[in-house]
Amino acid sequence: MTATRDTTAPAATGVHADRPALLEVDGLTVRFRLRDAVVHAVTDLSLTVRPGELLAVVGESGCGKSVLAHALLGLLPGNATVTGRALLRPPGGESVDLVGCTERRLARTVRGRAVGLVPQSPATALTPVRTGRHLLAETLRAHGHTRRDAPAAAERVAADVGLLPADLDRYPHELSGGMAQRLATALALAPDPPLLLADEPTTGLDRPLVDHTLDLLRRRCDTGAAVLLITHDLAAARRVADTVAVMYASRIVEHRPTEAIFAAPAHPYTAGLLDALPDRAFRPVPGHPPMLTDLPAGCAFAPRCGRASDVCATPPAVGAASGSGQVACHHPLTAGATA
């Protein structure tokens, strides 16, 4: 049965507002120090995810989407500096600030258990000397299944993502890119974490399997879990997300209900992304994103924006947009939007 998003749900930051936040990110900033430069990967990012919510983070490649996911799980390289706060409140568990969390605690109580990750490059994340069946059974045993019931549970989880029993007996190098992606998704889902970070989970899949995977994520939210979906696929976001956060040059520039964004985008960059869709104007956003080592002092989108003015030389504040939600723009498109 195909899962569908309930478009009558409370909008924007009010989605499931009666529930306490599962993840609350405030001022998250990530910098990578190179020999002769600093990469501004994520800048002053704030968002909230509640149980039952599917939040999609979209934007062009290189804007910082994947860095966000890895920062939350402490998976960044040694030259990264992370500041801000990311408070995780797992059901029935103790709250933890993921930014200040020790590696020991992340490994023992957060990764896999409280927060699952579907990696963007599954082929490099899978242990090469173990079959998919071994990997799944081992994961299930680590999270409470007995040695006796783990094999049957592994096949059930694999079936959920579209893998056949015979597929589980292959080693990672024997799997196609799409099969490796489905195995990585199964490994993330097996422990049934309350929060799932899905980083481009439909990479390498054909359209029926893309829809199958998206509907699987949607069903998790419909049963009370939460999903942070990182994707460049706007059609995927529209299909399943409650809310959409649009990232540009390390910052969130618009965060609003899915239907509101697709019906009337407030930020010129969001409008440009939508105009690039084949079923719309099929017109690319003009120009190129700035280098993250050389961001302008003001609005980073101004050089590509037809609405830019002198005021755009200063950073835009985050304000309310019509239809609820937020937009960071001096000249928002939507009637009634303020900056």
Side-chain angles (χ1 to χ4, degrees):
M1 180 176 66
T2 299
T4 57
R5 177 171 42 81
D6 180 10
T7 57
T8 64
T13 53
V15 170
H16 307 298
D18 57 324
R19 305 180 184 183
L22 176 60
L23 175 68
E24 189 173 359
V25 181
D26 184 20
L28 183 70
T29 297
V30 180
R31 299 288 183 260
F32 295 106
R33 295 198 173 275
L34 307 180
R35 179 174 299 178
D36 54 358
V38 176
V39 179
H40 298 250
V42 176
T43 302
D44 197 23
L45 184 147
S46 297
L47 54 81
T48 299
V49 185
R50 301 181 185 277
E53 180 180 4
L54 196 154
L55 167 62
V57 180
V58 304
E60 292 170 290
S61 296
C63 68
K65 304 188 301 296
S66 294
V67 174
L68 164 62
H70 287 82
L72 293 176
L73 287 175
L75 297 175
L76 296 177
N79 66 333
T81 301
V82 184
T83 58
R85 187 184 72 154
L87 189 61
L88 178 71
R89 301 184 181 93
E94 184 180 352
S95 298
V96 55
D97 182 0
L98 300 177
V99 173
C101 193
T102 64
E103 170 61 25
R104 180 184 179 91
R105 187 171 183 185
L106 285 170
R108 290 194 170 191
T109 65
V110 175
R111 296 186 195 125
R113 293 169 173 80
V115 184
L117 174 66
V118 180
Q120 185 176 15
S121 302
T124 61
L126 300 175
T127 305
V129 295
R130 295 182 180 174
T131 64
R133 187 181 302 279
H134 191 149
L135 290 171
L136 266 175
E138 183 179 54
T139 299
L140 288 163
R141 289 198 302 271
H143 293 89
H145 284 261
T146 66
R147 184 175 295 275
R148 186 172 185 174
D149 68 13
E155 291 202 1
R156 287 195 301 271
V157 175
D160 284 343
V161 300
L163 288 173
L164 299 174
D167 298 332
L168 293 181
D169 294 321
R170 300 183 181 186
Y171 290 92
H173 72 274
E174 297 176 312
L175 301 174
S176 67
M179 292 169 70
Q181 184 70 62
R182 281 176 277 162
L183 177 58
T185 300
L187 288 167
L189 293 175
D192 196 24
L195 175 63
L196 183 69
L197 307 180
D199 190 2
E200 302 286 3
T202 58
T203 300
L205 305 183
D206 58 24
R207 178 47 58 180
L209 281 172
V210 167
D211 293 342
H212 177 90
T213 300
L214 293 174
D215 291 338
L216 180 64
L217 299 180
R218 180 68 255 175
R219 287 195 296 272
R220 285 192 59 77
C221 295
D222 294 340
T223 57
V227 174
L228 181 62
L229 171 64
I230 294 170
T231 182
H232 66 277
D233 187 344
L234 294 174
R238 185 170 194 177
R239 180 182 176 91
V240 296
D242 297 298
T243 51
V244 173
V246 182
M247 280 192 76
Y248 182 76
S250 83
R251 294 181 182 270
I252 289 181
V253 296
E254 185 168 358
H255 184 187
R256 298 173 65 210
T258 303
E259 289 305 315
I261 276 189
F262 279 85
H267 197 282
Y269 174 63
T270 308
L273 287 180
L274 296 180
D275 280 345
L277 292 173
D279 60 346
R280 299 205 178 190
F282 205 29
R283 181 176 59 242
V285 182
H288 301 280
M291 296 289 292
L292 295 183
T293 54
D294 188 26
L295 293 179
C299 174
F301 188 63
R304 307 174 72 184
C305 181
R307 299 169 66 87
S309 67
D310 291 344
V311 71
C312 299
T314 61
V318 177
S322 62
S324 70
Q326 295 180 319
V327 58
C329 182
H330 290 293
H331 305 293
L333 299 167
T334 316
T338 59

